[in-house]
Amino acid sequence: MDSLDPDLDPATMRKQYRVDGLAEQDLASHPMDQFTRWFEDAARTALHGTLYEPNAMVVSTADATGRPSSRTVLMKRYDSDGFVFYTNYDSRKGRDLAENPHVSLLFPWHPIARQVIVTGTARRTGRDETAAYFRTRPHGSQLGAWASAQSAVIASRTELATAYADLQARYPEGEQVPVPPHWGGFRVVPETVEFWQGRENRLHDRLRYVSRPDGTWAVERLSP
């Protein structure tokens, strides 16, 4: 392998995180309240153009044999019960979660030197909740949910475009598109939620909420 330009060599890429730290006494009592604080910070940063899609998160799943896979999806709702995203249930992540509901989420807010890492279990949202969200999607995205057999091998881009065009003719703009039976939401109910704040000299702050059987949360500090 040819030697890398020093500016392009990952071994030499370093950034000091000179930002305020995260202390236990500053945390909210519930992890979803703390998430709200940080998500609003990330969303405000996005409004200024320095962070892209604050609701983008990496979803990591594993199949029944333990083989992992990861992908970026958009979180579309969060509340005291957890985080919601939508997908094709026949996709790889949908099949994985049907076999193994344990999941990890990662919100990578690099421009503000923060991450949120969640572990928990995923369960399908109800059809009424799924339908209510589906109606808010742009018409083209509704058609796309039908056109794409997500994660399946296809012969060409033309095959996908043809399927979409057929649907566009069947359901023109302004006509209601039915909710695909194979499409819907997952709600990830957290068991741990870690708030990672980058600090100088790689001495990062890592505070993790851990759920207790009685419904309360313990907070642990992790070494960076």
Side-chain angles (χ1 to χ4, degrees), residues 156-170:
S156 67
R157 178 79 189 187
T158 300
E159 180 181 330
L160 185 63
T162 299
Y164 184 87
D166 291 345
L167 287 160
Q168 204 169 26
R170 185 175 179 182

Side-chain angles (χ1 to χ4, degrees), residues 67-88:
R67 289 189 175 92
S69 61
S70 299
R71 75 289 292 162
T72 301
V73 305
L74 297 178
M75 181 267 293
K76 285 300 179 179
R77 176 180 169 83
Y78 68 93
D79 53 30
S80 59
D81 294 326
F83 306 85
V84 177
F85 67 93
Y86 293 87
T87 190
N88 186 318

Side-chain angles (χ1 to χ4, degrees), residues 85-108:
F85 67 93
Y86 293 87
T87 190
N88 186 318
Y89 288 140
D90 295 328
S91 66
R92 178 169 180 176
K93 58 185 169 297
R95 296 194 308 271
D96 281 357
L97 291 172
E99 298 174 339
N100 178 357
H102 298 290
V103 63
S104 176
L105 311 177
L106 167 65
F107 292 87

